[in-house]
Amino acid sequence: MKHQPAARLRARIIGAVAIAAASALAVSGCATGNGGGDAELSKDPVTISLNWWGAGARVESTEAAVKLFEKEHPNITVKMQSTDWGSYWDKLATTVAGGNPPDVMQFDQVYVASYAQRGAIADLGQYDKFLSTSDLTKNVRATGEYQGKLYAVPIGLNSIGVAINKSVFEEYGVPVPDESWTWDDLNATAKELTEKSDGKVKGLDPFGGDTPSLTLWARQHGNQLFDKNGKVVLKQSVLADYWKYALAQIKDGVTPSASQLAEGTNAALDQSDIATGKVGMTFIPSNLSAYQAAAPSQKLDMLPFPAAKDAEKGWQYLKSSMYWSISSKSKHPAEAAELIDFLTTNTKAGTLFGAERGLPANPAFQKAIAPDLSPSDTIVMDYIKKVTAESGEPAPITPVGGQDADTLLAQIWQNVQFGKTTPEDGAAQYISQLKKALSDAG
């Protein structure tokens, strides 16, 4: 599962280009849809395009799946193109603004609302006779919805958890916490690991600069970052407490120092603190396999996100790792819908994809790939199943103008760490600037 935190952060910056291009569409009116309710399959040969980000194994599995699709649909030819994460969004913004986007495109949730609002991607409900989402649970399907309409079909599932380096725990005789652990348990474990190693290993890398973990923290305290109407509803006190918790860990010496944390912000996975054994725990999305591949000599495992003692059930939620969407300008939306249907419901395609795009959103795919999963992917599958069973409604999709929420959070969090601002003032600043960003975009 190769969806790295650094890549997501970079996406927020590149996203400004995409949003600007989508805004241009709204002004020019060139994103008008094709009346999907009237879409029909062509009897003549048709060529459609499919674009995604990713390389290596993703290219090989996608090309193999498309060949299977073309074999079952001999009159449809699929032109494929893959690029790296950053180039993908830059190129997509340009092609959308130019009125020549790919028919089917891989999407990230932070951009769905922006492209949907501008009319650049299609309401997929128009194509339900070609594209079935009945295999998906209601909560999973909802992660691709904007204002009650489905614009993106979830491909894989993701959730923030805590990666633990069991090799370090075993070396210093520290027991691995129980899965029902609390924030107090996390602190106690971090302190014990730091003390038993005489400071050679810090207990953990703290959270503080990413919205997925902030959202989970907020949901445990009866709050959210955004509401269903796309408004910022995060309470200043909730964000301040989120930072105070992590700040106390830094001050207690159970984490690297603020300067060490800043130096490691953009480190490659094989140089990350968890991979090199410098810390025993770290917060990550459920892409443990990427970390394990980067640290083959270490024994990694994953624990659930800790819970507040008084947290009500349903605070957990699933996040889609990525989606498939259709351009509203597609000349062949029925064929595009059939391609997405094949890629998300055909178990042969699911077997080819494995867990590379995240644990499959389709339960039938999960069952099909289970026997061939690596040990770390098996850990992730078990983890996601537990999260699924405990999840409430998904967090509202990132609204238009919110694409830089992570970048802004990380910037202010770093100021808090270095004492340039207090958690309370930093929280007020974050909420104010985020509200302004949404207002300006609206």
Side-chain angles (χ1 to χ4, degrees):
M1 301 182 188
K2 302 177 180 178
H3 195 55
Q4 298 179 17
R8 289 201 314 276
L9 183 61
R10 185 184 178 197
R12 277 37 175 194
I13 301 170
I14 295 168
V17 178
I19 303 307
S23 298
L25 289 174
V27 175
S28 66
C30 62
T32 303
N34 282 324
D38 300 326
E40 294 292 343
L41 295 171
S42 174
K43 295 180 181 179
D44 299 320
V46 165
T47 297
I48 59 175
S49 51
L50 171 69
N51 285 24
W52 69 91
W53 69 82
R58 184 171 299 177
V59 172
E60 294 176 8
S61 63
T62 306
E63 289 180 345
V66 168
K67 287 181 180 178
L68 288 178
F69 172 78
E70 290 176 328
K71 186 175 182 180
E72 292 191 13
H73 302 79
N75 68 317
I76 304 177
T77 299
V78 182
K79 291 174 60 178
M80 296 175 278
Q81 185 177 85
S82 66
T83 54
D84 65 90
W85 169 265
S87 298
Y88 178 84
W89 294 106
D90 196 0
K91 184 175 295 185
L92 182 62
T94 300
T95 58
V96 168
N100 187 36
D103 295 279
V104 178
M105 58 197 94
Q106 195 170 281
F107 244 83
D108 184 85
Q109 83 84 26
V110 77
Y111 304 128
V112 171
S114 300
Y115 276 79
Q117 187 196 58
R118 310 299 181 184
I121 53 177
D123 167 13
L124 301 180
Q126 303 173 98
Y127 312 125
D128 55 8
K129 63 180 177 180
F130 310 110
L131 170 57
S132 173
T133 58
S134 61
D135 289 339
L136 303 178
T137 66
K138 179 182 178 181
N139 282 347
V140 169
R141 186 183 189 278
T143 65
E145 293 178 354
Y146 172 66
Q147 295 186 342
K149 296 181 179 180
L150 183 70
Y151 286 95
V153 178
I155 301 173
L157 301 176
N158 205 312
S159 182
I160 296 292
V162 179
I164 64 170
N165 189 325
K166 291 183 71 174
S167 298
V168 171
F169 274 76
E170 291 171 359
E171 181 178 355
Y172 294 104
V174 177
V176 174
D178 185 84
E179 289 188 349
S180 60
W181 63 340
T182 65
W183 294 110
D184 288 343
D185 295 330
L186 174 64
N187 278 341
T189 301
K191 183 178 181 180
E192 183 177 4
L193 188 55
T194 303
E195 290 179 347
K196 285 191 172 180
S197 69
D198 292 326
K200 294 178 182 178
V201 176
K202 297 295 186 180
L204 80 159
D205 274 334
F207 58 38
D210 69 284
T211 58
S213 68
L214 172 58
T215 298
L216 285 169
W217 175 275
R219 285 167 68 103
Q220 290 186 10
H221 296 85
N223 196 205
Q224 289 263 38
L225 181 53
F226 304 111
D227 67 11
K228 293 180 179 179
N229 296 317
K231 294 183 179 180
V232 178
V233 293
L234 180 66
K235 295 178 181 178
Q236 181 180 338
S237 60
V238 170
L239 176 53
D241 287 346
Y242 166 78
W243 278 336
K244 286 179 182 178
Y245 178 83
L247 198 61
Q249 293 172 326
I250 296 172
K251 290 180 178 179
D252 288 345
V254 299
T255 78
S257 66
S259 59
Q260 289 171 329
L261 291 170
E263 290 172 3
T265 298
N266 296 314
L269 286 189
D270 63 346
Q271 296 302 310
S272 65
D273 289 341
I274 193 75
T276 55
K278 294 179 180 178
V279 301
M281 301 176 285
T282 189
F283 293 87
I284 65 167
S286 49
N287 59 342
L288 185 69
S289 294
Y291 283 83
Q292 186 64 78
S297 63
Q298 306 291 333
K299 188 192 303 182
L300 304 185
D301 205 340
M302 195 160 187
L303 287 174
F305 200 77
K309 292 180 180 178
D310 58 350
E312 294 185 5
K313 291 182 179 180
W315 61 266
Q316 264 287 13
Y317 77 100
L318 289 169
K319 178 182 179 295
S320 290
S321 56
M322 57 196 74
Y323 308 83
W324 293 120
S325 292
I326 296 176
S327 167
S328 62
K329 295 290 290 182
S330 175
K331 295 180 179 178
H332 305 289
E335 286 78 9
E338 284 219 327
L339 174 58
I340 294 180
D341 182 82
F342 183 89
L343 297 178
T344 56
T345 66
N346 186 286
T347 52
K348 291 182 180 178
T351 301
L352 287 169
F353 292 145
E356 197 278 329
R357 279 183 168 93
L359 185 72
N362 187 333
F365 282 18
Q366 295 178 21
K367 184 177 180 179
I369 69 173
D372 299 317
L373 289 178
S374 67
S376 54
D377 276 341
T378 299
I379 290 172
V380 171
M381 174 176 279
D382 292 340
Y383 174 67
I384 290 295
K385 285 182 176 179
K386 292 174 184 174
V387 172
T388 301
E390 298 170 358
S391 290
E393 291 186 5
I397 199 166
T398 301
V400 179
Q403 72 276 1
D404 292 327
D406 274 84
T407 303
L408 178 61
L409 188 70
Q411 290 171 345
I412 298 177
W413 166 228
Q414 192 167 92
N415 288 338
V416 171
Q417 290 178 61
F418 283 98
K420 295 180 180 179
T421 187
T422 65
E424 291 83 1
D425 289 344
Q429 181 184 355
Y430 178 74
I431 293 169
S432 175
Q433 291 189 25
L434 190 56
K435 286 182 176 179
K436 185 178 186 302
L438 267 60
S439 177
D440 291 346

